[in-house]
């Protein structure tokens, strides 16, 4: 029962030890991100229970049933694949679903120097508001992100999947030439994605940004600033986001770099480089949220999305 919690604590303890301002990064821990969800949902329920007990308890029962059903469906749907299969699935499942998305944001991205237990992501497939230059990416959604298949990664997956139950969204607001973006987190975004008011802004303990490399349109700097030090980039938490599959499904040069890195272990990093030890220690197998209730974790090869597992 405690096998997930202990490694998670050790991971974040090592993270905090790397940076003087690290304690302020606790908000980036998915366990902390669940706290706002609990507050948003529990507070009105408790108020209702105090003044209208029958309605309040009925709402609590409905809430528990909702979370229970969604959790069972998520567990049955979860999948684990190697990194290359994940990249193919992300591309094939999402390609063409956001036709107006700028080409440089299409395809599959690799979080190459990210110490968190996540590896690949797809912006394609999310809602794109061209007028506002905004991407609305659902956190913990189906086939848009991958997580390490170790104890830390499973905890990370669980907490972000729970946030998905309550419509957690990361909004990416780009500048006019789509080279920079701010990335605030919102909860309870139940309105249509093109709605001007959608969700409640939630603090994460940090400011998320991304900036395109002026010399490489396929590379972005994912800068993170702590609330307590908003003018300086938090180096340990920030990372390089690199596109490895383009809008046509072709492998870009960084794809080979991703494959090579996944073959490394923590022993390949310098002895005093904690961040690279964590990065090289990521497992080849990655967790994904499947699109049905027949994931391969419980249903074996019958749960594989064969139609998505190979690039064009």
């Amino acid at each position: 029962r405690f096998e997930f919690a202990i490694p998670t604590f050790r991971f974040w303890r090592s993270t905090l030890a790397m940076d003087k301002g690290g304690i302020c990064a606790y908000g980036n821990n998915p366990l902390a991100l669940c706290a706002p969800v609990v507050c948003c949902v529990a507070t009105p329920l408790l108020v209702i229970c105090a003044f209208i007990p029958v309605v309040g308890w009925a709402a609590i029962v409905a809430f528990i049933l909702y979370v229970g059903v969604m959790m069972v469906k998520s567990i049955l749907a979860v999948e684990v694949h190697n990194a290359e299969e994940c990249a193919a699935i992300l591309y094939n499942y999402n390609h063409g679903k956001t036709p107006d998305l700028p080409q440089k944001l299409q395809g599959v991205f690799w979080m190459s120097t990210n110490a968190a237990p996540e590896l690949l992501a797809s912006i394609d497939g999310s809602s794109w508001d061209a007028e506002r230059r905004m991407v609305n990416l659902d956190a913990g959604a189906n086939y848009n992100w991958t997580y390490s298949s170790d104890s830390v990664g499973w905890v990370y997956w669980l907490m972000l999947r729970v946030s998905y139950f309550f419509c957690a969204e990361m909004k990416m607001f780009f500048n006019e030439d789509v080279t920079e973006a701010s990335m605030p987190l919102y909860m309870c975004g139940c309105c249509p994605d093109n709605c001007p008011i959608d969700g409640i802004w939630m603090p994460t303990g940090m400011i998320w940004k991304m900036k395109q490399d002026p010399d490489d349109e396929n590379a972005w700097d994912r800068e993170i600033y702590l609330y307590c030090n908003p003018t300086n980039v938090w180096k340990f938490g920030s990372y390089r986001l690199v596109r490895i599959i383009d809008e046509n499904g072709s492998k870009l040069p960084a794809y080979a770099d991703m494959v090579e890195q996944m073959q490394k272990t923590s022993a390949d990093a310098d002895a005093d480089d904690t961040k690279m030890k964590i990065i090289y220690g990521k497992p080849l197998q990655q967790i994904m949220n499947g699109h049905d209730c027949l994931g391969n974790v419980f249903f074996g090869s019958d749960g594989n999305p064969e139609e998505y597992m190979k690039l064009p």
Side-chain angles (χ1 to χ4, degrees), residues 28-50:
N28 197 41
N29 184 335
L31 293 171
L33 294 184
C34 282
V37 176
V38 173
C39 292
C40 285
V41 176
T43 301
L45 289 180
L46 292 175
V47 171
I48 293 173
C49 283

Side-chain angles (χ1 to χ4, degrees), residues 14 31 43 45 48 51 59-60 77 84 106 113 133 146 152 156 185 208 238 241 256 295 307:
S14 66
L31 293 171
T43 301
L45 289 180
I48 293 173
F51 293 97
I60 289 175
E84 292 193 75
Q106 298 178 27
T113 56
R133 299 184 302 278
T146 77
V152 178
Y156 201 86
L185 179 70
W208 295 338
S238 301
L241 183 68
E307 68 274 26

